[in-house]
Amino acid sequence: MDYLKRGFGALLLGGLLAGAAQADGVKVGMITTLSGGGAGLGIDVRDGFLLALKMAGDAGAAVEVVIEDDQRKPDVAVQLADKMIQSDQVDVLTGIIWSNLAMAVVPAATAQGKFYLSPNAGPSQLAGAGCHENYFNVAWQNDNLHEAAGAYANDAGFAKSFILAPNYPAGKDALTGYKRFFEGEVVQEVYSKLGQTDYAAEIAQIRASGADSVFFFLPGGMGIAFLKQYAGSGVDLPVVGPAFSFDQGILQAVGEAALGVKNTSQWSKDLDNPANTAFVAAFQAEYGRLPSLYASQGYDTANLLLSAMAKADVDDQDAFRAALKAAEFDSVRGSFAFGPNHHPIQDIYVREVIQEGDVFTNRIVSKAMEGHSDAYAADCSM
Amino acid sequence: MSGLLIAEQVLNGLQYGVMLFLMAAGLTLVFGVMGLINLAHGSLYMVGAFACAAVAAATGSFWLGLAAALAAAALAGAIVERVVIRRLYARDHLDQVLATFALILIFSEGTRWLFGSFPLYLSVPAALEGAVRLPGGIDYPLYRLAIIAIGLAVAAGLFWLIGGTRLGTRIRAGEADREMIAALGVDIDRLYTIVFALGAALAGLAGALVGTIQSVQVGMGEPVLILAFVVIVIGGIGSIRGALAGALLVGLTDTLGKVFLPVAFAAVMDPADANAVGSALASMLIYVLMAAVLVLRPRGLYGAA
């Protein structure tokens, strides 16, 4: 009995000590998608984030992370955010993958004085008039990769593009982003249904359109379906798209249908800088798979947080914000800085899908844009 | 817009309709015979696709994968019927919806646990790769032609099964009056397990065939499930003929609508607006169709009066 009591005492004391240690640390609430069809993205963000903490040793151990699954549902994400802010009392929120979930959570969280570091979603509303001093996007503004695809299309000499995206806000942003930089003619613009999996009708329209190139933004399963059907259709126009349909997680499912396709990304596993080399090796060693774009964004988000923690205490909001804004960490993307609206200024590359042994992956072929910011920064008054 | 493009789009609509029929046939059979709303039908579609992808990856043969898809979905269907569904026949539709919705979650997370969160690879068998030139000069993917052929063969097989065999007679009798055929000495429990397994196998077949040109991933069944419900409501619940007619109608309406509506609107308004309005209207066209059919024929095209 005595033994038991002492055991409880030790546990209690341990708990108190841990509590005391965390006064200097930061508590992070991660809301991300860990179940259902979109789980691959959330899992990669989470794994990249936790890997960075682990590699940071003691500094990483000072970060306590509460992870919850939003099931890709805005209402669930809002509930989780309320719970994390009110009962878990987190200092920083992060993790959301989808723009509609971010729009439901971020404005309320930042209004309550929490920091939000976005590892993926970058809706235009939060980059322009709706920007907030406590909101930092570590990935990209949603339009960025599409804009780079437009710039690449010019370099590649495409004159007539057929452009395709699902009929929802991010799909419209995608086509707008492409057209913002593409100087040729858009021969046909098609909005497919969100979640559509059969593209025979669109492919027939591509064949009949007289275009010399195809730009598409179809994230997740839609992209897999489109690429497989396009490859089997006998149409052989060059295709370009943002990295979302070509990330490490889904390339294996597309297989040889994706070989040679050009896609635009701010990151690639063969980017030659020490931070990236270390990241790719450590990720493979830890999880036994190649990292994706999303994993790199989770990893950068954690390193940004650690860099700010090294300079300022999270309770001193102004100092902590300035430390985040400085972004003095070794990004796996190489050069990285925040613009005036706390969105990245970064290089965006053109990648090509290749096969290495049994594995389909990407390699960089050129740089599409250098030091690229976004079109909404001017609307942000911060 | 050339005649060739229109012909190709009609073919696309037909093929899409046949794909929907494969999914809707099993659903309408179960709904009609057993009076059960089975939301987990989409999960059985997913089981078929995953079984096909896993076996095709392990053995290198798509055809073995297809056989495995049929077997796995039928087995999963039989087990689910014995363990869960059997307790639901006497309950009302809300209980059935709740229980089968729970099955969706269990199947989805179970599949994710077994196969991981990333989509699986499944590709068209070498014999059906590429496009063929049809009379009139249309290049059409061979695999899609094969889907049309398989779908029509399945439809013919089902008509024969329901209309020309002893099992079919029992199924129709069970649909009309389940107490009476039980009293006549037919083992109704076994009949229900067989019907449910048959419906599941059809869903599994659809999952494997369609997964090949789409994406084999967790949650792939739910969007198709909604369309399948639209199909059987239009066709008339419980009618295989209705499912076929409904599926072709939905396939053609959806395909032709999304291609031609933006063009039609462009004739009367600014092209950018026409595109936005046309695309938005095309997305809801099949639901408009469903509403119209229900107004004219509340029990669907071939529903029992």
Side-chain angles (χ1 to χ4, degrees), chain B residues 17-132:
Chain B
V18 166
M19 267 169 33
L20 288 176
F21 168 72
L22 285 174
M23 183 70 178
L27 194 63
T28 202
L29 210 57
V30 168
F31 202 170
V33 176
M34 324 209 281
L36 176 92
I37 298 184
N38 179 23
L39 292 186
H41 201 68
S43 300
L44 297 164
Y45 172 88
M46 178 180 73
V47 166
F50 272 85
C52 185
V55 171
T59 62
S61 161
F62 173 79
W63 306 107
L64 279 180
L66 199 58
L70 280 168
L75 184 68
I79 292 173
V80 161
E81 200 274 339
R82 292 250 154 181
V83 177
V84 182
I85 305 287
R86 178 155 294 185
R87 298 162 210 280
L88 297 172
Y89 295 132
R91 306 280 196 98
D92 65 18
H93 284 327
L94 183 63
D95 289 353
Q96 297 175 352
V97 165
L98 280 176
T100 52
F101 185 72
L103 284 174
I104 293 184
L105 300 178
I106 293 168
F107 269 110
S108 289
E109 293 315 299
T111 311
R112 223 166 56 74
W113 179 69
L114 273 175
F115 293 96
S117 305
F118 299 100
L120 294 193
Y121 173 75
L122 178 61
S123 86
V124 175
L128 296 175
E129 254 173 22
V132 285

Side-chain angles (χ1 to χ4, degrees), chain B:
Chain B
M1 186 135 315
S2 68
L4 209 61
L5 180 64
I6 296 174
E8 185 175 355
Q9 296 296 17
V10 169
L11 209 53
N12 284 333
L14 202 64
Q15 177 257 328
Y16 187 46
V18 166
M19 267 169 33
L20 288 176
F21 168 72
L22 285 174
M23 183 70 178
L27 194 63
T28 202
L29 210 57
V30 168
F31 202 170
V33 176
M34 324 209 281
L36 176 92
I37 298 184
N38 179 23
L39 292 186
H41 201 68
S43 300
L44 297 164
Y45 172 88
M46 178 180 73
V47 166
F50 272 85
C52 185
V55 171
T59 62
S61 161
F62 173 79
W63 306 107
L64 279 180
L66 199 58
L70 280 168
L75 184 68
I79 292 173
V80 161
E81 200 274 339
R82 292 250 154 181
V83 177
V84 182
I85 305 287
R86 178 155 294 185
R87 298 162 210 280
L88 297 172
Y89 295 132
R91 306 280 196 98
D92 65 18
H93 284 327
L94 183 63
D95 289 353
Q96 297 175 352
V97 165
L98 280 176
T100 52
F101 185 72
L103 284 174
I104 293 184
L105 300 178
I106 293 168
F107 269 110
S108 289
E109 293 315 299
T111 311
R112 223 166 56 74
W113 179 69
L114 273 175
F115 293 96
S117 305
F118 299 100
L120 294 193
Y121 173 75
L122 178 61
S123 86
V124 175
L128 296 175
E129 254 173 22
V132 285
R133 178 146 296 194
L134 299 179
I138 302 172
D139 287 319
Y140 204 72
L142 189 57
Y143 188 78
R144 288 181 185 271
L145 290 176
I147 289 184
I148 297 181
I150 293 174
L152 295 179
V154 167
L158 277 176
F159 285 132
W160 170 75
L161 178 78
I162 301 290
T165 66
R166 194 167 188 85
L167 179 66
T169 313
R170 287 181 177 167
I171 290 175
R172 277 181 292 142
E175 201 173 338
D177 192 329
R178 64 176 89 170
E179 280 86 16
M180 186 55 85
I181 81 154
L184 289 174
V186 174
D187 183 352
I188 192 93
D189 285 351
R190 212 175 108 228
L191 180 70
Y192 277 16
T193 307
I194 291 172
V195 171
F196 199 84
L198 179 67
L202 284 173
L205 175 71
L209 286 175
V210 173
T212 305
I213 52 170
Q214 296 183 355
S215 130
V216 181
Q217 62 180 8
V218 173
M220 62 187 285
E222 279 78 69
V224 205
L225 178 76
I226 296 171
L227 288 174
F229 268 112
V230 172
V231 164
I232 67 170
V233 167
I234 289 178
I237 289 161
S239 162
I240 297 287
R241 189 182 307 153
L244 183 60
L248 293 180
L249 205 55
V250 167
L252 284 169
T253 307
D254 188 62
T255 305
L256 298 180
K258 73 187 178 192
V259 175
F260 297 115
L261 271 183
V263 182
F265 278 104
V268 291
M269 57 168 83
D270 169 60
D273 290 341
N275 200 6
V277 175
S279 308
L281 201 59
S283 306
M284 57 175 117
L285 203 56
I286 57 169
Y287 303 101
V288 175
L289 172 75
M290 177 168 79
V293 168
L294 288 181
V295 167
L296 296 173
R297 295 184 68 97
R299 290 185 171 272
L301 295 176
Y302 290 89

